[in-house]
Amino acid sequence: MPEPTYGEMEQREPTSEVDLRQLIQSFKSLRILDLHAANIKNVPRSICELKHLTYLDFSHNNALKRLPNSITRLQNLQTLNIYSCFALEELPRGIRKLVNLRNLDINECWKLSYVPHGLGQLSSLHRLTRFILPKVKALAKNYCRLGELNGLNNIGGSLTIENLGHVANAIEESKAANLIGKHSLESLELRWVYLDTEDAVIGDRDEALLDGLMPHSNLQNLKINGYKGKSFPRWLMDSLVFSLPNLVEVHLQQCGRCKYLPQLGQLPHLKSLSIWGLDELEYFEPDHSFITTPFPGLLRLQIGYCQNLKAMPLTPHLEELMLSKVNLELINQIFGLNKLKSLDISEMDFLECLPEKCFQSLTSLEDLSISCHRSTSLSLGMQHLTNLLNVSFWYCEELNLSKDESDNILDLQGLKSLRFVDLVDIPKLASLPQWVLQVSNLKSLRIYRYLNSKDLPEQIEALQSLQ
């Protein structure tokens, strides 16, 4: 079923504990019980009387803080779904007793601060979405260490390992996790969080830890977030085409001390790449002369908060490009991308106007979004975007859309393909631009904050396709 909206969940009547007890008493042979988005605050202990249950869904119950320990007596339970239970604080400590559990979904349970000791004994697990290490040492007796992942080699799909910054013995515990033995794992996120970022040994510890967390070569998606090492381990740097040849997506975020990236250009199947918050990064790849065509399949590229980066890979197949708070030199490299469909540029503090040459070859561009405080005028190059469907200007404090028209410097007659226009938080928007009124096929026009309905011109009635 589709996920309910917040409004829908708020309008639903709460399901009382009394009603749940009555349900349990009336249907003791249940095998499947779906109580998602039922506005449940408390689960009765008598849930354990449903001894035949194989599937139990409590997802989207935002007021649910904990599950009763009696739930661990459901020996036949195979699926426990508590996805998006925002208030959930802990899992039952006897979870190891659920010996037939195959699927445990705890994604978006934001208050869950650790997973309990004994999880590693659930050898039937095929899906485990998150493995949360605690930030507080006082929980040492109750929480899982990395070693509890050792025997869970049947888990597949996606796994996020959180709070890696609090691992005490980096070498021993990372090896014990045995990630290389998890051949069915498709997506892996390694997330660091620190309470004390001033620790002088953090970098060395992170490098030793990541070195031991080498995944199986079948992995398709890899995300590393908050890593404090100065360099990536050998399994990432030496020869990715042998260690992780099947990578399709790579996300590197907040790895602020890394100056060099792995040689990602040699990956034949890489389609999506995100580099975010690498403050020290200067070069994309120090040397790819031995690769005939670097990044042969790259379709999506995101770069943000990398202000020392002077160059980026622009392959002819690129379809989506997002640049946020980067060096202006990267903006000048946007050309020749005749397959680019989406361009998003934001937080460029010193960008007044995009150079015309950036747009001249973007003949396939369909979506354009610009959010830059200092932008003063539209680019002359926009007249070349004859396939543009969606255009958005967000939070452009200096942008004067009427100036371009009065000076007759911009011919936007070619933008008749437009279907959606967003003008959000544009303080100098004194009137609706004439070029918008000439887009006869426009379906959606959103103007937020700085233009009143009384300022709309009569010509807006000409927009007969507006929905």
Side-chain angles (χ1 to χ4, degrees):
M1 295 181 67
E3 291 186 11
T5 65
Y6 288 110
E8 289 172 342
M9 288 189 285
E10 287 175 358
Q11 291 172 9
R12 294 182 183 180
E13 290 293 325
T15 302
S16 71
E17 194 171 350
V18 173
D19 290 340
L20 285 177
R21 279 200 294 266
Q22 181 62 44
L23 182 149
I24 291 166
Q25 290 299 318
S26 303
F27 303 99
K28 290 195 174 181
S29 296
L30 280 179
R31 283 163 171 75
I32 295 174
L33 180 57
D34 184 348
L35 292 167
H36 87 282
N39 209 349
I40 295 171
K41 291 185 177 180
N42 296 298
V43 178
R45 291 183 179 181
S46 56
I47 189 78
C48 63
E49 295 177 18
L50 300 178
K51 297 184 183 297
H52 301 286
L53 269 187
T54 61
Y55 182 98
L56 183 56
D57 188 346
F58 286 122
S59 63
H60 297 285
N61 283 289
N62 295 338
L64 185 61
K65 290 187 175 181
R66 54 181 54 85
L67 300 173
N69 285 323
S70 62
I71 208 170
T72 63
R73 291 161 63 182
L74 297 175
Q75 296 292 299
N76 293 307
L77 195 65
Q78 295 181 17
T79 294
L80 178 58
N81 184 1
I82 42 184
Y83 170 82
S84 195
C85 291
F86 299 151
L88 192 74
E89 296 174 353
E90 61 181 6
L91 296 174
R93 292 187 180 181
I95 199 169
R96 65 184 180 279
K97 297 176 185 176
L98 296 174
V99 292
N100 288 306
L101 197 65
R102 293 171 62 90
N103 303 293
L104 178 60
D105 190 346
I106 53 177
N107 268 342
E108 296 191 19
C109 296
W110 304 125
K111 288 195 174 181
L112 200 60
S113 57
Y114 69 97
V115 290
H117 177 69
L119 193 69
Q121 298 177 35
L122 302 179
S123 56
S124 296
L125 269 182
H126 280 67
R127 184 169 185 238
L128 174 64
T129 54
R130 295 168 70 201
F131 189 87
I132 311 168
L133 301 167
K135 301 177 185 178
V136 183
K137 292 183 179 179
L139 298 173
K141 292 182 180 179
N142 304 319
Y143 77 86
C144 274
R145 293 177 180 270
L146 273 175
E148 294 222 29
L149 285 170
N150 186 280
L152 302 180
N153 291 334
N154 292 319
I155 57 174
S158 301
L159 172 65
T160 299
I161 304 177
E162 301 177 32
N163 301 332
L164 283 165
H166 301 276
V167 172
N169 191 326
I171 297 176
E172 180 182 327
E173 292 192 48
S174 61
K175 297 288 186 185
N178 187 30
L179 292 188
I180 200 169
K182 293 160 184 41
H183 52 84
S184 298
L185 205 60
E186 297 174 0
S187 178
L188 175 66
E189 178 176 357
L190 302 174
R191 184 185 290 269
W192 276 257
V193 174
Y194 286 98
L195 295 178
D196 180 11
T197 56
E198 301 301 322
D199 188 347
V201 299
I202 280 178
D204 292 340
R205 184 175 64 193
D206 277 12
E207 290 178 11
L209 183 59
L210 188 55
D211 186 52
L213 292 173
M214 178 179 178
H216 193 277
S217 59
N218 288 340
L219 195 74
Q220 296 179 28
N221 302 333
L222 176 64
K223 187 173 184 177
I224 299 175
N225 192 329
Y227 174 69
K228 301 295 182 184
K230 286 187 176 181
S231 61
F232 292 103
R234 286 176 297 176
W235 55 268
L236 271 172
M237 296 299 287
D238 285 357
S239 186
L240 269 175
V241 74
F242 294 110
S243 59
L244 295 172
N246 298 299
L247 281 180
V248 175
E249 293 188 23
V250 174
H251 302 261
L252 303 174
Q253 297 183 358
Q254 306 302 329
C255 304
R257 302 177 68 195
C258 293
K259 291 187 176 182
Y260 305 104
L261 291 178
Q263 294 190 345
L264 301 165
Q266 60 186 266
L267 292 170
H269 306 295
L270 188 67
K271 290 186 167 122
S272 179
L273 177 60
S274 176
I275 309 294
W276 210 266
L278 273 70
D279 304 327
E280 299 293 324
L281 183 65
E282 297 177 2
Y283 305 100
F284 226 84
E285 290 191 340
D287 178 26
H288 50 68
S289 56
F290 61 94
I291 309 173
T292 51
T293 307
F295 297 95
L298 192 65
L299 300 177
R300 186 169 185 260
L301 177 62
Q302 294 182 331
I303 303 176
Y305 291 78
C306 300
Q307 298 191 69
N308 285 321
L309 187 63
K310 303 295 194 302
M312 60 180 173
L314 295 173
T315 65
H317 303 293
L318 204 63
E319 294 181 356
E320 297 180 39
L321 177 62
M322 176 186 285
L323 298 175
S324 180
K325 211 170 183 66
V326 295
N327 195 297
L328 281 176
E329 290 188 25
L330 297 191
I331 298 294
N332 293 322
Q333 295 174 25
I334 304 175
F335 56 87
L337 303 178
N338 58 9
K339 293 187 178 180
L340 197 69
K341 294 180 179 180
S342 175
L343 177 61
D344 188 327
I345 298 175
S346 63
E347 297 190 67
M348 302 295 296
D349 294 337
F350 301 102
L351 183 66
E352 294 184 357
C353 182
L354 287 169
E356 182 178 2
K357 70 172 185 178
C358 292
F359 288 126
Q360 285 179 341
S361 60
L362 305 186
T363 52
S364 300
L365 198 68
E366 297 177 357
D367 299 290
L368 174 64
S369 179
I370 296 177
S371 176
C372 300
H373 300 306
R374 300 283 184 89
S375 293
T376 58
S377 60
L378 299 182
S379 170
L380 286 168
M382 282 189 66
Q383 56 198 327
H384 302 292
L385 305 181
T386 53
N387 286 311
L388 198 63
L389 298 177
N390 312 310
V391 63
S392 301
F393 295 100
W394 298 68
Y395 312 114
C396 299
E397 297 176 357
E398 301 298 324
L399 183 62
N400 189 341
L401 294 174
S402 349
K403 176 178 179 295
D404 295 321
E405 295 171 347
S406 61
D407 293 347
N408 290 321
I409 62 170
L410 188 58
D411 177 17
L412 293 175
Q413 294 295 317
L415 294 185
K416 293 185 178 180
S417 59
L418 272 177
R419 298 293 182 272
F420 302 90
V421 173
D422 279 358
L423 305 174
V424 179
D425 251 333
I426 313 293
K428 295 188 176 182
L429 188 65
S431 61
L432 197 62
Q434 286 297 311
W435 59 268
V436 173
L437 298 170
Q438 295 169 10
V439 183
S440 58
N441 293 319
L442 195 67
K443 291 184 177 181
S444 172
L445 172 61
R446 180 164 61 151
I447 308 162
Y448 182 66
R449 197 188 292 271
Y450 286 106
L451 193 65
N452 298 317
S453 57
K454 62 184 176 64
D455 297 323
L456 292 176
E458 291 183 3
Q459 300 99 303
I460 198 170
E461 294 179 358
L463 301 179
Q464 294 294 310
S465 300
L466 205 62
Q467 297 175 4

